[in-house]
Amino acid sequence: MSLRLTDFDYDLPPELIAQVPTATRAASRLLHVDGETLADRRFSDLPGLLAPGDLVVLNDTRVLNARVLARKPSGGRVELLVERIIAEREAWVQLRASHPPREGAPLDLPDGASARVLGRDDRFFHLAFDIAAPLHAWLAQHGELPLPPYVQREANASDDERYQTIYARAPGAVAAPTAGLHFDEATFAALARRDVQHAFLTLHVGAGTFLPVREEEVSRHRMHEERYELPAATVRAIAAAQARGARVIAVGTTTLRALEAAAQGPAGLVSGPGTTSLFITPGFRFRVVDRLLTNFHLPRSTLLMLVSAFAGPARIRAAYAHAVAARYRFFSYGDAMLLDRAPTRDNPGG
């Protein structure tokens, strides 16, 4: 299937990009895409849209304070965004400066710490940090929460809570798994009353999720790599749900990507740690996830391509046109949608 970047474009009024979260987590809207039907609902309606025995899988990654302001020895300002921690004091970072530093160049960090550029791979820089504590702990003290680039304001104290899911456990992400931001304790209680089960995995969302697709021929795009951990208990819960004819609902594209990446081998879904650069576009064969809860995504983005693959390009185009007309709130702090997997020749039931 030949796919062009323009196939995944749409017009979005800037005022629909949510700049702040809703007053409470579950107060957001929910667009239910049920075949050809589009239903405007509230997120609090979600439990009633699931069936007893269904399994909800969530990503329990925790967002790091991954934004760091640094200086060159010359005094020039440098902004670092940690993409992926690869050792106790090493990481790949995105770096913003008027003149990017060369290999071997030092950088001055807060609290008298420093870093040195070890190398570069396209948009990412490999840095070694001279710091007193492991990097994740040092960032907790000296870094800042990195809001997405389309949130046009500085992070504040309320973001420390609202840009984390209530079940965030494993530090390592530089962006939140935003579909999970809608869940509160009342939602989990309502799911339990309907006998809807839940399980967790961890995928550390990288800053690469915000990188634009620059290739007009979509197949030429190089997908960023992310780390995940799929517990054996979650694999068993999925197998049990499938055995009883229940559906597996992924909360967020990150959860879906981890599950489908872990199922690509001949043995099917396999537990354990892994890394994935899986690029999901229309024509992809889904093996695990039956329904997807997700927020609305950027035009021309890999995430819009993923949801188009899952629900079908025509359904997604119709859903996004409806959401714009109905004034839904878009992106990380915006509203949600519930998608069923599109029917395929191998799976006519969807």
PDB file of all heavy atoms in Angstrom, residues 254-275:
ATOM      1  N   THR A 254       0.594   4.021  23.076  1.00  0.00           N
ATOM      2  CA  THR A 254       1.822   3.427  23.620  1.00  0.00           C
ATOM      3  C   THR A 254       1.565   2.002  24.092  1.00  0.00           C
ATOM      4  O   THR A 254       2.389   1.103  23.869  1.00  0.00           O
ATOM      5  CB  THR A 254       2.377   4.275  24.778  1.00  0.00           C
ATOM      6  OG1 THR A 254       1.433   4.321  25.856  1.00  0.00           O
ATOM      7  CG2 THR A 254       2.676   5.693  24.317  1.00  0.00           C
ATOM      8  N   THR A 255       0.436   1.781  24.745  1.00  0.00           N
ATOM      9  CA  THR A 255       0.076   0.439  25.179  1.00  0.00           C
ATOM     10  C   THR A 255      -0.114  -0.479  23.981  1.00  0.00           C
ATOM     11  O   THR A 255       0.382  -1.612  23.951  1.00  0.00           O
ATOM     12  CB  THR A 255      -1.201   0.476  26.031  1.00  0.00           C
ATOM     13  OG1 THR A 255      -0.974   1.296  27.184  1.00  0.00           O
ATOM     14  CG2 THR A 255      -1.615  -0.914  26.484  1.00  0.00           C
ATOM     15  N   LEU A 256      -0.853   0.008  22.977  1.00  0.00           N
ATOM     16  CA  LEU A 256      -1.071  -0.787  21.777  1.00  0.00           C
ATOM     17  C   LEU A 256       0.255  -1.128  21.104  1.00  0.00           C
ATOM     18  O   LEU A 256       0.487  -2.277  20.695  1.00  0.00           O
ATOM     19  CB  LEU A 256      -1.978  -0.027  20.810  1.00  0.00           C
ATOM     20  CG  LEU A 256      -2.318  -0.743  19.504  1.00  0.00           C
ATOM     21  CD1 LEU A 256      -3.723  -0.394  19.047  1.00  0.00           C
ATOM     22  CD2 LEU A 256      -1.316  -0.394  18.407  1.00  0.00           C
ATOM     23  N   ARG A 257       1.146  -0.161  21.008  1.00  0.00           N
ATOM     24  CA  ARG A 257       2.414  -0.390  20.311  1.00  0.00           C
ATOM     25  C   ARG A 257       3.256  -1.435  21.033  1.00  0.00           C
ATOM     26  O   ARG A 257       3.878  -2.303  20.405  1.00  0.00           O
ATOM     27  CB  ARG A 257       3.161   0.940  20.207  1.00  0.00           C
ATOM     28  CG  ARG A 257       4.337   0.922  19.258  1.00  0.00           C
ATOM     29  CD  ARG A 257       4.677   2.347  18.840  1.00  0.00           C
ATOM     30  NE  ARG A 257       5.913   2.366  18.060  1.00  0.00           N
ATOM     31  CZ  ARG A 257       7.070   2.848  18.501  1.00  0.00           C
ATOM     32  NH1 ARG A 257       7.154   3.347  19.723  1.00  0.00           N
ATOM     33  NH2 ARG A 257       8.138   2.828  17.733  1.00  0.00           N
ATOM     34  N   ALA A 258       3.278  -1.384  22.365  1.00  0.00           N
ATOM     35  CA  ALA A 258       4.037  -2.381  23.125  1.00  0.00           C
ATOM     36  C   ALA A 258       3.451  -3.773  22.934  1.00  0.00           C
ATOM     37  O   ALA A 258       4.186  -4.751  22.730  1.00  0.00           O
ATOM     38  CB  ALA A 258       4.064  -2.003  24.600  1.00  0.00           C
ATOM     39  N   LEU A 259       2.131  -3.888  23.024  1.00  0.00           N
ATOM     40  CA  LEU A 259       1.491  -5.208  22.888  1.00  0.00           C
ATOM     41  C   LEU A 259       1.712  -5.786  21.496  1.00  0.00           C
ATOM     42  O   LEU A 259       2.055  -6.969  21.350  1.00  0.00           O
ATOM     43  CB  LEU A 259       0.000  -5.094  23.182  1.00  0.00           C
ATOM     44  CG  LEU A 259      -0.382  -4.833  24.630  1.00  0.00           C
ATOM     45  CD1 LEU A 259      -1.890  -4.602  24.762  1.00  0.00           C
ATOM     46  CD2 LEU A 259       0.042  -5.997  25.534  1.00  0.00           C
ATOM     47  N   GLU A 260       1.518  -4.982  20.474  1.00  0.00           N
ATOM     48  CA  GLU A 260       1.670  -5.503  19.121  1.00  0.00           C
ATOM     49  C   GLU A 260       3.134  -5.791  18.797  1.00  0.00           C
ATOM     50  O   GLU A 260       3.438  -6.749  18.082  1.00  0.00           O
ATOM     51  CB  GLU A 260       1.062  -4.537  18.108  1.00  0.00           C
ATOM     52  CG  GLU A 260      -0.442  -4.326  18.260  1.00  0.00           C
ATOM     53  CD  GLU A 260      -1.256  -5.600  18.029  1.00  0.00           C
ATOM     54  OE1 GLU A 260      -0.755  -6.529  17.365  1.00  0.00           O
ATOM     55  OE2 GLU A 260      -2.411  -5.659  18.514  1.00  0.00           O
ATOM     56  N   ALA A 261       4.061  -5.009  19.349  1.00  0.00           N
ATOM     57  CA  ALA A 261       5.484  -5.290  19.145  1.00  0.00           C
ATOM     58  C   ALA A 261       5.870  -6.608  19.790  1.00  0.00           C
ATOM     59  O   ALA A 261       6.635  -7.399  19.219  1.00  0.00           O
ATOM     60  CB  ALA A 261       6.330  -4.154  19.715  1.00  0.00           C
ATOM     61  N   ALA A 262       5.327  -6.868  20.979  1.00  0.00           N
ATOM     62  CA  ALA A 262       5.660  -8.096  21.707  1.00  0.00           C
ATOM     63  C   ALA A 262       5.012  -9.330  21.103  1.00  0.00           C
ATOM     64  O   ALA A 262       5.320 -10.449  21.500  1.00  0.00           O
ATOM     65  CB  ALA A 262       5.247  -7.959  23.170  1.00  0.00           C
ATOM     66  N   ALA A 263       4.120  -9.130  20.141  1.00  0.00           N
ATOM     67  CA  ALA A 263       3.411 -10.248  19.514  1.00  0.00           C
ATOM     68  C   ALA A 263       3.879 -10.524  18.090  1.00  0.00           C
ATOM     69  O   ALA A 263       3.268 -11.327  17.385  1.00  0.00           O
ATOM     70  CB  ALA A 263       1.908  -9.968  19.510  1.00  0.00           C
ATOM     71  N   GLN A 264       4.964  -9.888  17.658  1.00  0.00           N
ATOM     72  CA  GLN A 264       5.377 -10.002  16.259  1.00  0.00           C
ATOM     73  C   GLN A 264       6.106 -11.302  15.943  1.00  0.00           C
ATOM     74  O   GLN A 264       6.194 -11.701  14.783  1.00  0.00           O
ATOM     75  CB  GLN A 264       6.259  -8.810  15.882  1.00  0.00           C
ATOM     76  CG  GLN A 264       5.508  -7.496  15.790  1.00  0.00           C
ATOM     77  CD  GLN A 264       4.375  -7.530  14.788  1.00  0.00           C
ATOM     78  OE1 GLN A 264       4.587  -7.720  13.596  1.00  0.00           O
ATOM     79  NE2 GLN A 264       3.144  -7.375  15.264  1.00  0.00           N
ATOM     80  N   GLY A 265       6.652 -11.960  16.957  1.00  0.00           N
ATOM     81  CA  GLY A 265       7.419 -13.179  16.715  1.00  0.00           C
ATOM     82  C   GLY A 265       6.534 -14.392  16.477  1.00  0.00           C
ATOM     83  O   GLY A 265       5.318 -14.353  16.676  1.00  0.00           O
ATOM     84  N   PRO A 266       7.148 -15.510  16.085  1.00  0.00           N
ATOM     85  CA  PRO A 266       6.372 -16.725  15.793  1.00  0.00           C
ATOM     86  C   PRO A 266       5.689 -17.314  17.016  1.00  0.00           C
ATOM     87  O   PRO A 266       4.711 -18.062  16.879  1.00  0.00           O
ATOM     88  CB  PRO A 266       7.423 -17.686  15.223  1.00  0.00           C
ATOM     89  CG  PRO A 266       8.738 -17.151  15.704  1.00  0.00           C
ATOM     90  CD  PRO A 266       8.574 -15.679  15.778  1.00  0.00           C
ATOM     91  N   ALA A 267       6.185 -16.987  18.219  1.00  0.00           N
ATOM     92  CA  ALA A 267       5.592 -17.521  19.449  1.00  0.00           C
ATOM     93  C   ALA A 267       4.384 -16.718  19.911  1.00  0.00           C
ATOM     94  O   ALA A 267       3.752 -17.060  20.911  1.00  0.00           O
ATOM     95  CB  ALA A 267       6.636 -17.574  20.561  1.00  0.00           C
ATOM     96  N   GLY A 268       4.040 -15.643  19.213  1.00  0.00           N
ATOM     97  CA  GLY A 268       2.929 -14.810  19.645  1.00  0.00           C
ATOM     98  C   GLY A 268       3.352 -13.872  20.754  1.00  0.00           C
ATOM     99  O   GLY A 268       4.525 -13.498  20.861  1.00  0.00           O
ATOM    100  N   LEU A 269       2.414 -13.479  21.593  1.00  0.00           N
ATOM    101  CA  LEU A 269       2.674 -12.488  22.643  1.00  0.00           C
ATOM    102  C   LEU A 269       3.644 -13.058  23.681  1.00  0.00           C
ATOM    103  O   LEU A 269       3.358 -14.078  24.308  1.00  0.00           O
ATOM    104  CB  LEU A 269       1.359 -12.085  23.305  1.00  0.00           C
ATOM    105  CG  LEU A 269       1.411 -10.884  24.245  1.00  0.00           C
ATOM    106  CD1 LEU A 269       1.790  -9.615  23.488  1.00  0.00           C
ATOM    107  CD2 LEU A 269       0.072 -10.694  24.948  1.00  0.00           C
ATOM    108  N   VAL A 270       4.767 -12.370  23.877  1.00  0.00           N
ATOM    109  CA  VAL A 270       5.838 -12.847  24.756  1.00  0.00           C
ATOM    110  C   VAL A 270       6.108 -11.786  25.806  1.00  0.00           C
ATOM    111  O   VAL A 270       6.248 -10.598  25.489  1.00  0.00           O
ATOM    112  CB  VAL A 270       7.117 -13.133  23.947  1.00  0.00           C
ATOM    113  CG1 VAL A 270       8.260 -13.543  24.868  1.00  0.00           C
ATOM    114  CG2 VAL A 270       6.856 -14.214  22.907  1.00  0.00           C
ATOM    115  N   SER A 271       6.219 -12.197  27.060  1.00  0.00           N
ATOM    116  CA  SER A 271       6.507 -11.268  28.147  1.00  0.00           C
ATOM    117  C   SER A 271       7.995 -10.943  28.195  1.00  0.00           C
ATOM    118  O   SER A 271       8.818 -11.597  27.556  1.00  0.00           O
ATOM    119  CB  SER A 271       6.059 -11.868  29.481  1.00  0.00           C
ATOM    120  OG  SER A 271       6.811 -13.035  29.777  1.00  0.00           O
ATOM    121  N   GLY A 272       8.327  -9.918  28.983  1.00  0.00           N
ATOM    122  CA  GLY A 272       9.716  -9.551  29.199  1.00  0.00           C
ATOM    123  C   GLY A 272      10.026  -8.157  28.720  1.00  0.00           C
ATOM    124  O   GLY A 272       9.159  -7.433  28.215  1.00  0.00           O
ATOM    125  N   PRO A 273      11.301  -7.750  28.849  1.00  0.00           N
ATOM    126  CA  PRO A 273      11.721  -6.437  28.367  1.00  0.00           C
ATOM    127  C   PRO A 273      11.971  -6.469  26.863  1.00  0.00           C
ATOM    128  O   PRO A 273      12.243  -7.523  26.279  1.00  0.00           O
ATOM    129  CB  PRO A 273      13.023  -6.184  29.129  1.00  0.00           C
ATOM    130  CG  PRO A 273      13.591  -7.557  29.334  1.00  0.00           C
ATOM    131  CD  PRO A 273      12.402  -8.478  29.519  1.00  0.00           C
ATOM    132  N   GLY A 274      11.880  -5.315  26.245  1.00  0.00           N
ATOM    133  CA  GLY A 274      12.162  -5.220  24.821  1.00  0.00           C
ATOM    134  C   GLY A 274      12.273  -3.777  24.390  1.00  0.00           C
ATOM    135  O   GLY A 274      12.019  -2.853  25.164  1.00  0.00           O
ATOM    136  N   THR A 275      12.686  -3.575  23.159  1.00  0.00           N
ATOM    137  CA  THR A 275      12.660  -2.262  22.527  1.00  0.00           C
ATOM    138  C   THR A 275      11.887  -2.402  21.226  1.00  0.00           C
ATOM    139  O   THR A 275      11.865  -3.471  20.613  1.00  0.00           O
ATOM    140  CB  THR A 275      14.072  -1.730  22.226  1.00  0.00           C
ATOM    141  OG1 THR A 275      14.744  -2.641  21.344  1.00  0.00           O
ATOM    142  CG2 THR A 275      14.875  -1.571  23.502  1.00  0.00           C
TER     143      THR A 275
END
